[in-house]
Amino acid sequence: VNMTSSGVFVLEEGTYNRDFKSGSFTVVFHSDMFEESGYTIEIPSNASSWLSNVQTRADVKEYEETMAVTVNDTGHPRSAIVQILKSDNGQNVGEFIVSQTSATNLSASELANCYIIKSNGAYMFNTYKGTDGSKLFVGITDRNVEWITNGALITPYDGSPDGKVMFEVGNWSQGNALLSVSGSNGIMWSWHLWMVNDLGTNSLGNYVMMDRNLGATSKTSNGAYYQYGRKDPFIVGEFTVSTSR
């Protein structure tokens, strides 16, 4: 943070860190240099599409700017240096930084109907019909976890842009879940979320295969079951045990 004036100027925070969600926050600063000249907030042009100041409050040398950010669905973090300028001469008397994280885009490199989640964090994917890049589901009104097999907390974000699912994963552990999107006529499509951290491969001649069944949390567990004609997996017992009577 660069304070370029010798006048009395105190910025309560220098950096404002935001998560990927849209929302607002307050920047507070104190100064005796704006009573006559006033001031303006200058947001860099390359950040004006996602960052704005929506309200100003001044009260006896204390100033508040309410800033707002849009949801960050770019797949990349972003930041901006915002300047506080004197209105009479444009002098830069203070700066603060706004930074915003992004959700990891699981569909950035390849579309799928099953996405692997290896840790806690924020994630997103585009709501294409499986691997069909020509069919994007839009008009989404709800994003829901239909079922989950472990103690993980998967929280879809209601503010996700249309055509995307953004969600947070907490309390990560190995297991499986099914996340769906719905529109005015009910469920439109769903995706399998596979939480696994030690997935490996085996070679068989010229072919490379996973070292376990889809949805399995280890090389020896059963994994997901599929019924003919249905795309969604369902989970039975993790292991098969034989006993004698």
Side-chain angles (χ1 to χ4, degrees):
V1 179
N2 179 28
M3 300 305 173
T4 59
S5 173
S6 59
V8 177
F9 191 100
V10 179
L11 190 66
E12 291 196 352
E13 290 186 55
T15 302
Y16 296 80
N17 298 310
R18 307 293 301 176
D19 62 17
F20 69 91
K21 302 172 186 175
S22 61
S24 61
F25 58 97
T26 301
V27 177
V28 179
F29 53 94
H30 307 266
S31 177
D32 65 357
M33 64 181 70
F34 301 136
E35 294 182 9
E36 296 182 1
S37 69
Y39 70 94
T40 59
I41 295 291
E42 184 167 291
I43 296 171
S45 58
N46 61 359
S48 60
S49 62
W50 60 272
L51 177 63
S52 61
N53 59 311
V54 296
Q55 185 176 354
T56 299
R57 187 190 71 83
D59 182 19
V60 191
K61 300 182 182 180
E62 180 177 284
Y63 303 88
E64 288 185 0
E65 288 291 331
T66 301
M67 311 293 294
V69 294
T70 62
V71 61
N72 186 2
D73 62 345
T74 65
H76 306 283
R78 55 194 182 187
S79 63
I81 299 176
V82 180
Q83 295 182 343
I84 303 171
L85 308 178
K86 291 185 69 176
S87 296
D88 56 357
N89 58 14
Q91 181 186 5
N92 178 8
V93 295
E95 298 175 348
F96 59 92
I97 299 171
V98 179
S99 64
Q100 188 180 28
T101 62
S102 179
T104 299
N105 189 351
L106 300 171
S107 60
S109 60
E110 191 172 5
L111 300 177
N113 211 64
C114 172
Y115 291 108
I116 294 175
I117 309 293
K118 292 187 175 182
S119 64
N120 291 333
Y123 298 91
M124 60 178 283
F125 57 82
N126 297 315
T127 54
Y128 285 101
K129 183 179 180 179
T131 58
D132 184 356
S134 66
K135 176 60 176 177
L136 179 68
F137 291 102
V138 294
I140 298 170
T141 56
D142 290 296
R143 299 160 177 84
N144 296 299
V145 176
E146 297 296 326
W147 53 257
I148 188 168
T149 64
N150 56 8
L153 300 175
I154 298 178
T155 308
Y157 175 50
D158 290 337
S160 300
D162 202 15
K164 299 179 187 291
V165 173
M166 307 183 80
F167 59 97
E168 294 177 287
V169 177
N171 196 30
W172 184 95
S173 62
Q174 295 200 124
N176 294 269
L178 194 72
L179 195 156
S180 70
V181 296
S182 300
S184 57
N185 294 320
I187 292 178
M188 304 163 77
W189 200 254
S190 58
W191 292 261
H192 173 207
L193 302 181
W194 185 11
M195 286 159 279
V196 62
N197 62 5
D198 61 345
L199 182 62
T201 58
N202 290 325
S203 296
L204 182 62
N206 294 326
Y207 299 95
V208 178
M209 305 172 62
M210 293 190 301
D211 64 356
R212 68 197 68 192
N213 292 330
L214 185 65
T217 56
S218 71
K219 297 178 182 179
T220 56
S221 63
N222 290 327
Y225 279 54
Y226 287 83
Q227 186 177 20
Y228 180 78
R230 295 184 177 182
K231 72 169 187 65
D232 291 328
F234 60 95
I235 304 297
V236 293
E238 278 286 291
F239 298 91
T240 299
V241 178
S242 298
T243 60
S244 58
R245 296 183 178 179

